[in-house]
Amino acid sequence: MRKLLAALFILLLPCTALAKYVAVLETAADGKAREEIDIESRQYLTNVIREQAVRVLPAEQNWTIMTRENINVMLPPGKTIEDCEGSCLAETGKNIAADYVAQARIGKFGENYTISCEMYETAGNKLVASFNADGIANVEGIVAELKTKAPEFFKKIRGIGGAWGGGSGFGDFSTAGDFAVVGNQMFIVNVSTNPGGAMLSIDGRPVPKCSSTPCKIQVEAGEHRFVTVLEHYEDFDSLVTVNANEQQIAFNMVPNFGTLFVNPERPDNVGNPEDLRVSVDGKLVAAASTEMLDPGVHAVSVTHPCYDPVEFKVAIEKGKNERYEQPMVRAKGGLSLSAEFRGEPQSVPVFVNGNEVGKTPYLGEVPLCSRVAVGDVKNPEIVDVNLKFHETVAYTHELKKDPFAKETLTAIDQTRAQAEKGYNDLECATGGDCKKVGESIPANVESDESGIHWVPVIASAAVLVGGSVLAVVGNSNAKSASEKKIKSESDYKKNKDDAHNGQTLRTVGVVTAIVGAVGLGVSFAF
């Protein structure tokens, strides 16, 4: 087929004998420039040179600029347009039946690019035009140099062999009206992807104004290579011909991901659920949500202040979902706990989450985020200690109330309760037998004729009065001691002793008065 097309192309040449054929071969690159500028970019540079040739050598004046397809058809079998490099440009031009052949070559000098361009007349192997440029920083600079110098480059072959391609007649000359528009036709296009948010590049170069689709951009007319890139989707690569304003260009992205759902169980539901942290490949993600991941192995970590951290790897396959909902393990720390009241150490019960685990000073393992308390089980004091993961924390709790004072008050209350039930509180209080009054009557107690035993009556009355006085004095002393201001630790100890002595005196007085009252009752009864 290639030979047939080539034969047809050659047969048509006599019909256009006046036309001149110009072939622009693919731009070549040497050394580092070849590594840095890919073939797509070099093809674009070749297109820029061809466009300048079309403007300077119009078809109306019988110039034909051969396309890439024309050149490929005319090449010998087994060769491609990329093989058309080297110094024998004229010979290559003859092989493809071109009257003129041109080629640009890119090199590198230091950190900058250089470009040289030559054009040969194939009939006589004659160099008819050339130009060079250096100190070019990037590919955009090369494009600018080509657009600047290529017009004069092609003007140098106009008029060779006569205006009509013959050997006689007027030659090509210019007048004040000789003008060619310099510039490329541009169109505005709308680019969209499904889903949106993709980045766009055209002809191998990123488009800054379209870092996230959809977007509206201005593109030069002609065929371009559009590439859209979106995380978790395959790159979409397509050739698009831009030929109109408001052209709609849409791409359907192909998914290339699996999913991962992480929501571990928290036994006892301790702590705040918002404190659960999940990260994938070092990036924090939302817990209890489905994450899209590229196929492959990913590292996952799960942490919570109240539980042991979890780390694992998960293999993600395209189109599949993986779920992690395993229970976490309660984290533990060590606690060394002491209790003091006004600087003095105290031994009080220790409670962890409502369960008694020992007394202060306490040393043991405690689950993190636990409720630690000390003191009375009915009204314990919360210990504000910050437990740490796999560390032992030493902490001293300052009690808000004196546990000894509380025990004394309890003993007094018990004594009063016994008295109300009619027991001999004096003997109970001193460790004797608790017998109800009236259970035994002394045998040596005699009664007078009136039935009233005055000696016991008088004795019982004295006891009643004495006990009442002791109770009043004790109560006054205890109250006075409790109301005194404490300025030092010695004041505190003295007031404490005074209050204790006052309470004791009051208790003895109350008991004595009760004994006296009971004695009076017994005396009058018998």
Side-chain angles (χ1 to χ4, degrees):
M1 177 61 71
R2 292 172 61 90
K3 292 181 178 180
L4 178 60
L5 292 175
L8 290 174
F9 187 81
I10 295 173
L11 289 173
L12 291 174
L13 290 179
C15 299
T16 56
L18 297 178
K20 292 292 184 180
Y21 289 84
V22 178
V24 179
L25 303 185
E26 292 299 332
T27 302
D30 301 321
K32 291 184 178 180
R34 188 179 184 87
E35 299 175 359
E36 297 174 0
I37 303 177
D38 56 25
I39 187 170
E40 289 82 7
S41 298
R42 297 201 298 271
Q43 288 178 348
Y44 176 77
L45 296 176
T46 304
N47 290 340
V48 172
I49 299 173
R50 287 199 184 101
E51 288 170 357
Q52 300 304 317
V54 171
R55 291 187 178 92
V56 178
L57 305 173
E60 293 82 2
Q61 296 182 10
N62 293 324
W63 292 98
T64 299
I65 309 302
M66 300 175 67
T67 65
R68 182 178 284 108
E69 289 73 17
N70 296 150
I71 297 174
N72 275 325
V73 168
M74 300 301 295
L75 286 172
K79 288 191 176 183
T80 65
I81 193 170
E82 286 77 15
D83 296 328
C84 298
E85 297 180 6
S87 58
C88 300
L89 293 182
E91 187 65 24
T92 303
K94 290 179 182 179
N95 290 336
I96 59 176
D99 299 293
Y100 299 92
V101 59
Q103 186 183 42
R105 184 174 294 276
I106 302 170
K108 199 161 187 186
F109 183 75
E111 295 298 323
N112 296 319
Y113 293 108
T114 64
I115 185 169
S116 62
C117 194
E118 295 180 344
M119 182 160 50
Y120 286 83
E121 180 188 17
T122 58
N125 293 338
K126 180 181 178 181
L127 178 65
V128 295
S130 67
F131 69 86
N132 296 281
D134 56 18
I136 306 171
N138 48 40
V139 176
E140 287 77 11
I142 296 175
V143 174
E145 288 291 338
L146 291 176
K147 290 183 177 181
T148 300
K149 296 187 177 182
E152 291 298 325
F153 174 77
F154 288 109
K155 284 181 181 179
K156 292 182 180 180
I157 66 171
R158 291 174 59 177
I160 297 178
W164 299 274
S168 62
F170 295 102
D172 187 26
F173 59 90
S174 63
T175 66
D178 186 12
F179 175 75
V181 176
V182 177
N184 301 321
Q185 177 64 50
M186 307 294 289
F187 291 110
I188 297 174
V189 298
N190 297 289
V191 182
S192 63
T193 60
N194 181 29
M199 294 185 295
L200 174 67
S201 67
I202 299 178
D203 297 327
R205 295 185 300 277
V207 181
K209 293 185 178 180
C210 191
S211 59
S212 179
T213 56
C215 58
K216 179 179 287 190
I217 57 175
Q218 189 168 285
V219 183
E220 185 178 313
E223 186 179 75
H224 299 277
R225 181 189 177 199
F226 281 62
V227 177
T228 53
V229 179
L230 180 62
E231 188 178 14
H232 308 311
Y233 287 83
E234 295 181 0
D235 295 351
F236 196 97
D237 191 337
S238 177
L239 290 176
V240 178
T241 299
V242 176
N243 53 20
N245 272 325
E246 299 301 330
Q247 184 174 343
Q248 301 295 325
I249 303 174
F251 306 109
N252 288 319
M253 308 294 290
V254 178
N256 184 31
F257 62 84
T259 58
L260 174 64
F261 180 84
V262 179
N263 186 30
E265 178 187 346
R266 294 184 297 111
D268 304 327
N269 290 322
V270 179
N272 295 323
E274 295 80 5
D275 291 335
L276 186 66
R277 296 287 182 269
V278 179
S279 65
V280 179
D281 298 329
K283 179 182 178 182
L284 190 65
V285 301
S289 64
T290 300
E291 292 294 322
M292 294 188 302
L293 299 176
D294 293 332
V297 179
H298 299 269
V300 182
S301 68
V302 183
T303 60
H304 190 282
C306 304
Y307 297 88
D308 284 341
V310 179
E311 294 184 355
F312 60 91
K313 293 182 183 290
V314 57
I316 298 296
E317 295 184 24
K318 180 178 178 180
K320 292 187 177 181
N321 179 51
E322 298 292 339
R323 299 178 67 89
Y324 181 85
E325 298 173 295
Q326 300 298 320
M328 301 185 74
V329 178
R330 190 75 176 273
K332 292 183 179 180
L335 176 61
S336 176
L337 179 62
S338 301
E340 292 183 355
F341 181 75
R342 301 290 178 87
E344 293 184 356
Q346 305 290 330
S347 179
V348 293
V350 178
F351 303 92
V352 175
N353 296 325
N355 299 316
E356 186 173 350
V357 296
K359 288 189 174 183
T360 58
Y362 172 80
L363 177 65
E365 283 187 354
V366 178
L368 299 190
C369 306
S370 293
R371 180 178 179 269
V372 181
V374 295
D376 183 21
V377 66
K378 294 182 179 179
N379 189 25
E381 296 184 17
I382 301 300
V383 178
D384 187 18
V385 59
N386 184 22
L387 300 173
K388 296 183 179 180
F389 178 71
H390 287 189
E391 291 186 25
T392 299
V393 176
Y395 187 81
T396 300
H397 177 74
E398 182 67 26
L399 294 168
K400 297 180 177 60
K401 54 187 177 182
D402 185 355
F404 176 77
K406 181 178 180 182
E407 292 173 359
T408 301
L409 182 61
T410 301
I412 294 172
D413 293 340
Q414 291 175 351
T415 303
R416 288 176 178 172
Q418 292 171 350
E420 291 174 356
K421 293 179 180 179
Y423 287 97
N424 187 337
D425 296 294
L426 182 60
E427 292 185 3
C428 289
T430 56
D433 294 333
C434 293
K435 298 180 180 179
K436 282 188 176 181
V437 176
E439 286 185 348
S440 61
I441 303 296
N444 58 350
V445 177
E446 298 181 356
S447 60
D448 58 11
E449 295 178 355
S450 61
I452 300 176
H453 302 275
W454 292 106
V455 173
V457 169
I458 295 172
S460 298
V463 171
L464 174 62
V465 173
S468 299
V469 172
L470 290 176
V472 172
V473 173
N475 184 68
S476 176
N477 291 343
K479 182 178 180 181
S480 176
S482 64
E483 291 178 349
K484 287 183 179 180
K485 294 183 178 180
I486 298 173
K487 296 182 179 180
S488 64
E489 185 176 351
S490 60
D491 289 344
Y492 163 73
K493 292 182 178 179
K494 183 178 183 306
N495 292 345
K496 180 180 177 181
D497 294 339
D498 291 345
H500 179 68
N501 293 334
Q503 290 173 349
T504 303
L505 184 62
R506 180 182 61 189
T507 302
V508 172
V510 170
V511 172
T512 302
I514 293 173
V515 171
V518 172
L520 282 175
V522 172
S523 297
F524 282 106
F526 294 93

